Amino acid sequence: MKIGLLGHGVVGRGVTAILDGKYPDLEITKILVKDLSEGNDPRYTLSAEEILNDPEIGMIVECMGGVQPAGSYVLQAMKQGKHAVTSNKKMLASLLEEILAASSEHHVQVRFEASCGGGIPWIHELEHIRRIDEITGFRGIMNGTTNYILSAMHENGTDFAEALKQAQKLGYAEQDPSDDIDGMDVRYKCCISLFAACGLVISPDLIPAFGIRHIHASDAAWAKQHGRVIKMIGEGSPQGACVMPRILKSNDPMSAVFSNQNRLETDSPTLGVAAFSGQGAGSLPTAHAVVQDILDIARGCTQMKTEYERIDQTGIFEGTYYISGNGAEALNLPVKEKGNGFIITEHILLNDLMQALPEGHALFIAEVCE
């Protein structure tokens, strides 16, 4: 099978490094790049149409990033009978319903293992568990950037700005880290996981998401003094999904996941809690997941279920919340504990907390888990 590769950045280069010359029946024949100065590979092209309209190409692999034009390219390829593999969580979460419809209508596969969990076979495992069990819930550390930052703050007392700089220097964070530190990256991954785990499709903007942009060293120190660790957690169930920092007890397995590692868990009746951990990002780990999808399609493996139910609101979430920063004490919320620059609420509905927050606030908010 001939393959067209859209994008040759960090992940795309990993794909060619793993795939080229290894499988006689698979060949990347054309590679879409932004600029021919990226290298002298004869497969490079600046024209997406040259790939999308090539009748000999039976599969496209999208590693471009961003919603558009990547989404349009994937949909156009599928409409022309080409299978699709993508590592692009933002595009997939934003256009999931359209992509699933195109897969069904045009009888082509779409696979997206690398979009969530990097090199961890998360989507594959959700698919296998769901063949037997109803998945009642999932949760996970899904973003290596925020986990690295929070680990540095917990272990070394580093402040947020310095920890972010370290993450950028090591290549764990982008120059614009907004999607990571504001929880958007985990929100996209929760959308994808919710479909794979429960057959539900939800718009990303309907999932509550809180990030770590406004965390201070004093917040990490408070957690550490109380034998706890702050982790950025995405969770979901048949009732919906939520993204939020959680202040975990030290005996929670998630609390022991440090640096840029990821850990993902499912819960189901016969299997119970199953956990998967490893590299959640990086060129070769992510490309490994992409190539696994390519091989599954080329070997004729059956695609996971594409039937879904659309939900237009997320479920009811509740908890006890730690809130710090200027204005925390002025919030109209029931308070259980008040400290120097922070409050801890009584057990309340998350929706009540969200309604009490002023527009454009600069507060750090985390659930205190029992």
Side-chain angles (χ1 to χ4, degrees):
M1 181 180 289
K2 293 185 176 180
I3 299 166
L5 179 58
L6 307 179
H8 207 226
V10 172
V11 177
R13 288 180 184 276
V15 171
T16 53
I18 293 173
L19 193 63
D20 277 353
K22 304 275 179 37
Y23 304 94
D25 56 336
L26 295 172
E27 181 187 6
I28 298 172
T29 57
K30 293 177 183 176
I31 302 172
L32 179 68
V33 294
K34 293 180 180 178
D35 192 320
L36 291 177
S37 66
E38 290 184 29
N40 58 1
D41 194 310
R43 297 171 295 182
Y44 280 0
T45 177
L46 300 176
S47 171
E49 298 300 321
E50 186 179 332
I51 295 174
L52 300 175
N53 294 329
D54 186 336
E56 294 188 354
I57 289 177
M59 183 192 312
I60 60 104
V61 176
E62 186 272 311
C63 304
M64 297 173 62
V67 178
Q68 296 296 354
S72 295
Y73 293 162
V74 169
L75 287 168
Q76 183 179 336
M78 294 172 74
K79 289 173 183 176
Q80 296 193 32
K82 303 182 193 300
H83 300 295
V85 173
T86 181
S87 61
N88 187 342
K89 67 259 180 182
K90 186 173 185 177
M91 181 277 292
L92 186 63
S94 301
L95 303 177
L96 183 56
E97 198 165 12
E98 292 178 64
I99 288 171
L100 292 174
S103 173
S104 178
E105 181 180 353
H106 300 285
H107 308 290
V108 292
Q109 291 199 35
V110 56
R111 289 182 178 263
F112 43 87
E113 183 65 65
S115 67
C116 186
I120 303 170
W122 173 240
I123 302 300
H124 175 271
E125 293 305 322
L126 290 176
E127 177 184 2
H128 275 240
I129 294 169
R130 196 175 161 207
R131 292 192 302 186
I132 297 172
D133 263 350
E134 176 189 357
I135 295 175
T136 55
F138 65 83
R139 68 170 187 151
I141 296 171
M142 302 180 176
N143 182 274
T145 300
T146 52
N147 203 51
Y148 177 87
I149 292 169
L150 291 171
S151 295
M153 295 181 74
H154 177 84
E155 293 179 316
N156 307 316
T158 312
D159 65 27
F160 172 77
E162 180 58 31
L164 174 57
K165 286 181 183 178
Q166 291 175 7
Q168 290 171 324
K169 184 177 180 180
L170 292 168
Y172 298 152
E174 302 286 346
Q175 283 307 113
D176 179 2
S178 297
D179 271 3
D180 294 321
I181 64 175
D182 292 331
M184 300 301 104
D185 177 81
V186 179
R187 179 190 256 179
Y188 301 137
K189 291 171 181 175
C190 278
C191 283
I192 296 164
S193 298
L194 197 61
F195 165 69
C198 307
L200 299 175
V201 171
I202 188 171
S203 296
D205 58 6
L206 294 177
I207 294 177
F210 296 83
I212 63 168
R213 182 183 291 271
H214 302 298
I215 192 173
H216 293 89
S218 58
D219 301 316
W222 182 90
K224 193 170 186 177
Q225 288 164 8
H226 289 79
R228 291 171 173 268
V229 182
I230 301 174
K231 294 294 180 184
M232 186 72 163
I233 303 288
E235 65 175 33
S237 73
Q239 286 69 52
C242 179
V243 178
M244 177 176 276
R246 262 83 180 187
I247 304 178
L248 305 175
K249 289 184 175 180
S250 59
N251 61 356
D252 188 316
M254 292 286 179
S255 70
V257 181
F258 288 100
S259 189
N260 65 329
Q261 294 290 299
N262 282 195
R263 178 186 170 95
L264 301 156
E265 294 179 357
T266 66
D267 198 0
S268 56
T270 61
L271 185 61
V273 175
F276 311 89
S277 61
Q279 288 285 342
S283 176
L284 292 177
T286 305
H288 178 99
V290 171
V291 174
Q292 291 283 8
D293 280 345
I294 292 171
L295 293 175
D296 281 347
I297 291 174
R299 304 297 184 258
C301 296
T302 304
Q303 183 176 3
M304 68 185 295
K305 296 177 182 177
T306 56
E307 297 83 8
Y308 64 88
E309 176 186 348
R310 179 166 189 82
I311 56 174
D312 294 319
Q313 60 182 13
T314 195
I316 297 173
F317 293 89
E318 55 189 288
T320 300
Y321 301 100
Y322 172 102
I323 307 171
S324 69
N326 292 332
E329 296 180 8
L331 295 175
N332 184 24
L333 292 168
V335 176
K336 180 171 71 172
E337 181 181 337
K338 186 179 294 186
N340 184 18
F342 73 89
I343 62 170
I344 298 176
T345 71
E346 298 282 0
H347 192 92
I348 60 173
L349 294 174
L350 178 58
N351 190 55
D352 290 344
L353 166 60
M354 294 171 66
Q355 290 183 359
L357 296 173
E359 187 174 350
H361 70 83
L363 299 170
F364 172 68
I365 300 166
E367 182 183 357
V368 182
C369 297
E370 295 304 322

